[in-house]
């Protein structure tokens, strides 16, 4: 059995994607899974949260990042290896006396520049946009999908919007989680996102992503009326016969303790101490839902 590829995405930034990726990755690792996190966001938030500033700076300086690999592969036309850029054992969170089995393919702030230069370089070689898309999809198929042989779950922290690598990851993932605050602005582009990727953005062979996206409500505040109304609307839309998305039952609350869980600590925390009551109230139900999605496929 091969592992599963999960892309966490949203057209909008600031909706809790990185928090979701880290929580889900550590919860799956605490459940016994081998987990790899791939950072596709030039903000490098998930990289700095997992690796720390000093280690991430070292990895960037030595070319051990995603953008360094892409630059060599597509701009310099060399034959770099992806595996040496994966850093094992990045989590300092302890569980049952051992660090969580969590690995990272980091990104740095130059990822956006590299993606732009890739478009320039491939266009100069007379590749059309369809040709560039096909080339990126082939890299994903040849280099990223095989990672599922070594890991139970590969999580992609996607950039806001639809950057070249983000779109490739979304289209190639086994599951897309759309992290969204239940407010007007965060959900405004949801329908457009579904139409662009799942309805209008089919491959040349007519295929679309493997299954509809699943929306995960984040930063939920039960006492906020707008959150209640938007959540009710999402539930109604997801329950309709022609729904373009599914809605997870788990709600990630707006909680200071979850934000603090991402901060570096002088003493390595245990998984249970780091997340406290959220382990049983949020994380276990969340990974249970994710597993059920794959079981039902």
């Amino acid at each position: 059995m091969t592992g599963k590829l999960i892309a966490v995405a949203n057209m909008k930034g600031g909706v809790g994607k990185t928090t979701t990726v880290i929580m889900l990755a550590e919860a799956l690792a605490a459940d016994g899974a081998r987990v790899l996190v791939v950072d596709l966001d030039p903000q490098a938030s998930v990289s700095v949260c997992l690796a720390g500033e000093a280690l991430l700076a070292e990895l960037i300086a030595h070319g051990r990042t995603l953008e360094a690999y892409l630059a060599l592969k597509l701009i310099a036309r060399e034959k770099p290896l992806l595996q040496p850029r994966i850093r094992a054992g990045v989590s300092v969170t302890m569980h049952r006396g051992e660090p969580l089995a969590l690995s990272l393919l980091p990104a740095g702030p130059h990822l956006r520049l590299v993606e732009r230069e890739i478009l320039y370089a491939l266009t100069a070689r007379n590749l059309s946009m369809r040709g560039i898309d096909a080339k990126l999809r082939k890299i994903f198929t040849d280099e990223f999908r095989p990672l599922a042989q070594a890991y139970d779950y590969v999580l992609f922290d996607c950039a806001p919007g639809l950057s070249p690598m983000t779109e490739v990851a979304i289209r190639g993932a086994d599951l897309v989680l759309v992290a969204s605050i239940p407010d007007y602005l965060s959900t405004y582009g949801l329908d457009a996102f579904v139409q662009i990727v799942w309805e209008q953005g089919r491959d040349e062979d007519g295929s679309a992503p493997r299954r509809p996206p699943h929306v995960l409500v984040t930063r939920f505040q039960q006492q906020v009326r707008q959150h209640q109304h938007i959540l009710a609307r999402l539930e109604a839309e997801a329950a309709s016969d022609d729904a373009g998305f599914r809605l997870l039952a788990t709600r990630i609350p707006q909680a200071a303790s979850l934000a603090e869980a991402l901060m570096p600590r002088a003493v390595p925390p245990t998984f249970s101490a780091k997340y406290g009551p959220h382990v049983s109230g949020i994380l276990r139900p969340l990974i249970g839902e994710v597993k059920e999605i794959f079981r039902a496929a």
Side-chain angles (χ1 to χ4, degrees), residues 191 194-195 199 212 236-246:
D191 288 340
V194 172
Q195 290 176 4
E199 297 176 13
E237 290 182 8
S240 66
D241 294 336
D242 60 347
F245 63 88
R246 304 289 183 263

Side-chain angles (χ1 to χ4, degrees), residues 86-163:
I86 295 175
R87 182 77 178 207
V90 292
S91 179
V92 298
T93 302
M94 305 292 291
H95 186 61
R96 297 176 179 171
E98 298 287 341
L100 293 176
L102 193 56
S103 300
L104 171 69
L105 176 54
H110 291 104
L111 175 58
R112 180 70 75 213
L113 175 61
V114 168
E115 286 186 316
R116 187 184 69 182
E117 292 300 319
I118 286 171
L119 296 178
Y120 291 160
L122 297 185
T123 300
R125 296 172 202 160
N126 296 320
L127 264 71
S128 66
M129 287 306 299
R130 286 186 179 274
I132 293 173
D133 288 341
K135 197 170 191 67
L136 291 175
R137 286 199 304 271
K138 187 175 189 308
I139 288 176
F140 188 89
T141 300
D142 293 347
E143 304 292 340
F144 287 85
R145 178 150 287 281
L147 294 173
Q149 301 291 335
Y151 300 94
D152 300 305
Y153 296 94
V154 180
L155 274 62
F156 295 88
D157 186 18
C158 297
L162 286 174
S163 70

Side-chain angles (χ1 to χ4, degrees), residues 242-255:
D242 60 347
F245 63 88
R246 304 289 183 263
L247 185 66
L248 294 183
T250 303
R251 314 281 180 250
I252 309 298
Q254 176 73 37

